[in-house]
Amino acid sequence: MPGAVTIATNMAGRGTDIQLGGNIDMRMKAALKGDETPDQIAQLKRQITVDVEQKKRVALEAGGLYVLGTERHESRRIDNQLRGRTGRQGDPGKSKFYICLEDDLLRIFAAERLDAIMRGLGIQEGEAIVHPWMNKALETSQRRVEQRNFEIRKNLLKYDDVINDQRKAIFEQRIEFMRTADVAPIVKDMRHDVVEKLVWRHMPEKAYPEQWNTKELIEEAEEIFGFHSPVDKWAAEEGIAQHEIIERLTREVDQAYAQKAAMLGPERLRAVEKQVLLSVVDMRWREHLSFLDHLRSVIHLRGYAQRDPLNEFKTEAFTLFERMLLDLRTTITRMLLRLQIGQADEAALAPKAPTQTYEIHQNPDTGENEMARSDAPPLAPDGFDRHNPSTWGKVSRNAPCPCGSGKKFKYCHGTAEAATA
């Protein structure tokens, strides 16, 4: 609008279309009350259009939009965007920026150059400075800020690359779990790896048998595998080595897992293994990302000890990733070996007889609802066999065929019985 002054912060007008003379659509929305007729709306739009055109001519004669900046942004791109507001689609306009020598942009990034300019020009305090040297000093300070911000983003990207490498590794493994129909070999390898790592941690390679910590090994093995293992008796045998203990403990763990598998059944076991595998991977990965975020927020303190924070972050992140993988395998092994099946679970796993269902039909003559049982009859005393029609008993014509075809009995085996009759 001609003569209008808009006071705004940093990037004024970005996201808003500033039109000389005003915006016709916005003025229409403000003027309409909702009860106008189409003719009244058309007349109102003509009046607003004429008014906007008149005000636009006045604004163009006055020079168009004038942008007055009270400071300069750290980025030249933002300043150029603000200048660009004055020339919307070829409209005329002007822009002018003022900056104080005490602004952070000049005080921090161009202090030495400003001192030389002030001494060379002999500028007094409070005097306005208009000189190409000032523009050059301002451009130099903005360039330094942009370079500094670029280095910050570049440094952050290096940290992101470390996390991204780990993300690729864990997601490739997760996709492999999802695409594999039977994850039993993967679970078995994890189980054996947990046993091996457990034994070597409490029975180091170069340690004497007297130095073996069998007590903690038994306690930790019982906590993970869910049964007590006589590792102390094995360790007391003459000439026994760690490899033999690993083989014996692995054999016991496999036997315990085989018992769990027999309780669940092969199909149910495959589903449980994959579900546990994927859920544990997702849970541990989320926890790992949380640990990395905390590490990233404090790793810069290593710089006070004359260490490169990025290298320290890589080392710590790799250690955390290895620990996460070991904890992942341990958690999966613990959950599968300590899986308990209660009576309710056994009842849910057991095969069920067909349940009784009913169909509701509306009588077109009376309009009343009629209920008809459409389920298969109870099993015959000698057992139900879907391949043997003699064990089906009397089946309703509208009931699903007991053979499992998905069709109604009258359209499946019912037709054969009718033909025989």
Side-chain angles (χ1 to χ4, degrees):
M1 302 292 287
V5 177
T6 300
I7 301 176
T9 55
N10 191 2
M11 187 54 200
R14 184 164 62 177
T16 302
D17 189 13
I18 302 177
Q19 300 181 17
L20 299 180
N23 187 291
I24 297 177
D25 295 335
M26 297 297 295
R27 290 189 58 181
M28 282 289 296
K29 290 181 180 179
L32 291 176
K33 298 180 181 179
D35 56 351
E36 293 86 355
T37 62
D39 293 338
Q40 292 175 339
I41 294 176
Q43 182 180 2
L44 180 61
K45 186 173 183 179
R46 286 193 296 269
Q47 294 175 355
I48 292 177
T49 303
V50 172
D51 185 61
V52 167
E53 293 295 333
Q54 292 177 352
K55 291 182 178 180
K56 183 176 182 178
R57 286 195 296 269
V58 174
L60 291 174
E61 293 173 358
L65 181 65
Y66 191 93
V67 173
L68 181 62
T70 59
E71 60 179 343
R72 295 290 291 271
H73 198 271
E74 293 180 351
S75 174
R76 289 170 293 178
R77 177 178 60 85
I78 303 298
D79 288 341
N80 292 335
Q81 285 180 344
L82 189 54
R83 288 192 183 98
R85 306 303 301 180
T86 62
R88 178 189 178 276
Q89 296 184 2
D91 290 341
K94 296 180 180 180
S95 63
K96 192 168 187 179
F97 290 81
Y98 291 87
I99 188 170
C100 178
L101 296 180
E102 296 179 356
D103 287 349
D104 292 340
L105 185 61
L106 294 177
R107 181 175 56 83
I108 298 176
F109 296 96
E112 297 178 359
R113 189 173 181 85
L114 282 178
D115 290 340
I117 294 175
M118 296 289 288
R119 287 193 300 267
L121 298 178
I123 303 298
Q124 301 297 324
E125 184 176 359
E127 183 178 352
I129 306 173
V130 181
H131 198 277
W133 289 0
M134 288 299 304
N135 295 334
K136 189 66 176 178
L138 188 58
E139 291 178 3
T140 302
S141 62
Q142 285 181 321
R143 191 179 300 110
R144 290 180 179 177
V145 175
E146 291 173 357
Q147 291 175 352
R148 173 176 172 270
N149 294 337
F150 174 76
E151 291 298 328
I152 292 175
R153 292 193 298 270
K154 184 178 179 181
N155 193 42
L156 291 177
L157 184 60
K158 293 178 180 178
Y159 286 90
D160 290 337
D161 288 340
V162 176
I163 302 176
N164 193 45
D165 292 339
Q166 297 183 2
R167 181 181 292 108
K168 288 180 180 178
I170 200 70
F171 270 65
E172 287 176 359
Q173 193 174 36
R174 190 181 190 279
I175 292 173
E176 180 184 356
F177 295 159
M178 294 179 63
R179 292 179 177 176
T180 304
D182 187 6
V183 296
I186 299 176
V187 173
K188 182 179 180 180
D189 292 340
M190 289 184 175
R191 188 167 62 247
H192 292 179
D193 185 71
V194 170
V195 173
E196 186 176 353
K197 292 287 195 306
L198 183 62
V199 173
W200 285 118
R201 185 165 60 251
H202 296 285
M203 297 180 176
E205 184 176 1
K206 297 182 180 180
Y208 294 104
E210 295 80 10
Q211 298 173 323
W212 292 349
N213 194 346
T214 56
K215 181 179 179 181
E216 291 187 3
L217 175 57
I218 293 173
E219 292 177 356
E220 191 170 352
E222 186 174 358
E223 191 273 332
I224 296 175
F225 307 129
F227 62 87
H228 180 81
S229 183
V231 178
D232 51 350
K233 296 181 181 179
W234 299 342
E237 296 178 6
E238 185 69 24
I240 194 168
Q242 294 94 329
H243 295 285
E244 298 179 56
I245 295 180
I246 292 175
E247 292 177 1
R248 294 183 184 182
L249 186 57
T250 301
R251 194 180 306 115
E252 285 196 350
V253 171
D254 287 342
Q255 291 175 358
Y257 192 76
Q259 295 177 0
K260 294 288 183 182
M263 296 172 59
L264 287 174
E267 295 184 1
R268 181 71 173 178
L269 178 63
R270 284 197 296 267
V272 171
E273 285 177 337
K274 180 171 286 191
Q275 183 178 1
V276 170
L277 207 61
L278 294 176
S279 61
V280 173
V281 168
D282 294 342
M283 178 181 63
R284 293 305 180 194
W285 176 244
R286 288 195 297 267
E287 293 177 355
H288 180 67
L289 289 179
S290 179
F291 292 152
L292 291 181
D293 287 340
H294 292 303
L295 176 64
R296 188 172 173 176
S297 63
V298 298
I299 198 65
H300 66 278
L301 298 176
R302 301 284 180 92
Y304 292 108
Q306 303 301 319
R307 298 178 181 177
D308 185 8
L310 179 60
N311 291 334
E312 293 291 315
F313 181 78
K314 290 180 180 179
T315 303
E316 295 289 344
F318 181 74
T319 303
L320 287 173
F321 188 70
E322 284 190 328
R323 190 180 304 170
M324 181 203 69
L325 293 179
L326 177 60
D327 187 53
L328 185 146
R329 293 190 288 267
T330 304
T331 304
I332 292 173
T333 303
R334 181 192 296 111
M335 292 181 65
L336 291 175
L337 279 169
R338 300 181 69 89
L339 183 66
Q340 299 293 332
I341 301 180
Q343 295 181 354
D345 298 323
E346 292 180 353
L349 295 175
K352 297 181 179 179
T355 56
Q356 293 185 350
T357 57
Y358 295 89
E359 295 181 359
I360 305 298
H361 302 279
Q362 188 176 34
N363 192 321
D365 298 328
T366 61
E368 297 179 355
N369 293 332
E370 298 179 352
M371 182 173 62
R373 193 177 72 178
S374 61
D375 62 306
L379 297 182
D382 55 345
F384 175 82
D385 183 4
R386 67 176 185 175
H387 300 292
N388 187 4
S390 62
T391 63
W392 297 352
K394 184 173 178 59
V395 184
S396 174
R397 296 182 70 254
N398 291 321
C401 188
C403 70
S405 63
K407 301 179 181 179
K408 289 186 177 182
F409 179 72
K410 62 183 179 181
Y411 296 129
C412 191
H413 282 76
T415 57
E417 289 187 2
T420 303

